[in-house]
Amino acid sequence: LVRSRGLGDVYKRQVRNNKMRRLVILFVLMMSMATFAQTSDEGRISIQAMMPDGVISVEASKNLVTRMQRMLVGNGYGDNGYVERFVLTAKVDITSKDIVPSTPARVSEKMEVTFFVGDIVENKLYASCTVSLQGIGTNENKALISAFSKLNPNQKDFSEMLDTAKGKIVDFYTNHCAEEISKARTMASVGNYDEAISRMMAVPNVCADCYDKCQVAATSFYQQKIDAYGLQQLNKARNAWMKSQDAYGANEVAQYLNVISPYSSCYQDVEKLRKEVASKLNADELREWNFQSKQYEDSQTYKKSIVKACRDVGMAWANNQPKSIAKTIIRGWW
């Protein structure tokens, strides 16, 4: 009875220690995220410049997207890679086209370029403005590019349009923050951790209260992600070692253990398995095992930035989504 009670006390202490360890990690991560947002573009409202396919030529379209990106940056907006939400796009209407008598002949085009800012997730148009331009070139494509080169990032109408959009973006997160977090939790509950993290990391810090809550949520989802993945890989490593407790098995074990985050809740068990493997190897095999372990430790030094890890997960998920869906949605805005 005394022995059982002692083991129970040890177990309780381990549980308390694990909980305390995770609370400390969460606190450090939240503080790091706050600092990171103040010293990078991550906290700014991110608007992605995008053109639908087939509206104008590919070359002219790429040129216009580049101009729109400059206009966004010039007005204080970031592009943090989360492309699935807020978009700036444009519709080009040619109002007149003339052939200039010269050698070689040149094309002169007058046009109305209407810019739109909206939310492609909610399919809502937030603001728009129209700019008149004229361009001359050796063909219609060159004339378009010539016209786009005259776009002024500081143009009043453009700045006012972005200010209007910014106000609506802030209102959206102010009024729908709990709903956004709830949706992300549902995603995480079915294993869609990357999508959940991306949704939370996309919230700009101008929406201060919602931003703080979403950063905490993103950290929690990332912890769930590395815990689930870590346990999966640890079980594979254990099975590999049970089947082959030799140098071959050790090499397979290392492949599984070397992808487990040091922040995973199963990390203590990872270390125990490493020691167990090391105790069964001869001198030459042990040197190879220690070499692989050192490589792992070196790689984890870089991976220990959870702020960057959350950002990278969110960006990777967003950028892997098919842009064709977004381009179809924005064509419906005009």
Side-chain angles (χ1 to χ4, degrees), residues 19-75:
K19 286 183 178 179
M20 182 60 68
R21 176 176 175 269
R22 294 183 68 165
L23 285 172
V24 171
I25 289 173
L26 286 173
F27 175 76
V28 171
L29 299 184
M30 287 187 288
M31 294 299 294
S32 298
M33 284 182 167
T35 302
F36 184 76
Q38 294 170 4
T39 58
S40 74
D41 288 341
E42 290 301 300
R44 293 195 294 172
I45 291 179
S46 178
I47 299 177
Q48 175 78 14
M50 183 183 295
M51 284 293 292
D53 296 329
V55 176
I56 54 179
S57 70
V58 173
E59 184 182 2
S61 181
K62 288 181 178 179
N63 184 273
L64 182 52
V65 167
T66 299
R67 298 290 173 180
M68 289 193 291
Q69 289 171 338
R70 292 176 184 174
M71 294 163 80
L72 287 167
V73 172
N75 282 272

Side-chain angles (χ1 to χ4, degrees), residues 190-207:
V190 295
N192 294 336
Y193 302 114
D194 292 1
E195 184 177 2
I197 292 169
S198 180
R199 200 173 187 112
M200 297 293 92
M201 294 297 287
V203 179
N205 67 3
V206 292
C207 314

Side-chain angles (χ1 to χ4, degrees), residues 129-143:
C129 72
T130 301
V131 177
S132 298
L133 297 172
Q134 181 176 4
I136 300 176
T138 53
N139 54 45
E140 294 181 14
N141 190 49
K142 298 296 184 184

Side-chain angles (χ1 to χ4, degrees), residues 151-206:
L151 285 170
N152 180 6
N154 300 317
Q155 188 157 331
K156 182 181 178 182
D157 290 347
F158 192 78
S159 298
E160 290 178 348
M161 174 192 68
L162 290 176
D163 285 343
T164 299
K166 177 181 178 180
K168 293 184 178 180
I169 291 171
V170 172
D171 286 345
F172 171 80
Y173 281 119
T174 300
N175 298 320
H176 297 88
C177 190
E179 182 182 345
E180 286 295 293
I181 295 175
S182 178
K183 288 178 181 178
R185 281 181 180 150
T186 300
M187 295 170 188
S189 70
V190 295
N192 294 336
Y193 302 114
D194 292 1
E195 184 177 2
I197 292 169
S198 180
R199 200 173 187 112
M200 297 293 92
M201 294 297 287
V203 179
N205 67 3
V206 292

Side-chain angles (χ1 to χ4, degrees), residues 234-247 249-251 253-254 257 267-282 285-286 289-290 293:
L234 177 60
N235 287 334
K236 289 181 179 179
R238 283 169 170 164
N239 291 335
W241 185 238
M242 287 178 63
K243 291 178 182 178
S244 181
Q245 296 190 8
D246 53 22
N251 183 61
V253 168
L257 297 187
Y267 191 67
Q268 289 183 343
D269 292 326
V270 170
E271 292 298 289
K272 288 179 183 178
L273 182 55
R274 284 187 179 280
K275 291 177 181 177
E276 180 182 339
V277 172
S279 69
K280 298 291 180 67
L281 301 177
N282 63 38
E285 293 168 346
L286 185 58
W289 174 255
N290 289 336
S293 296

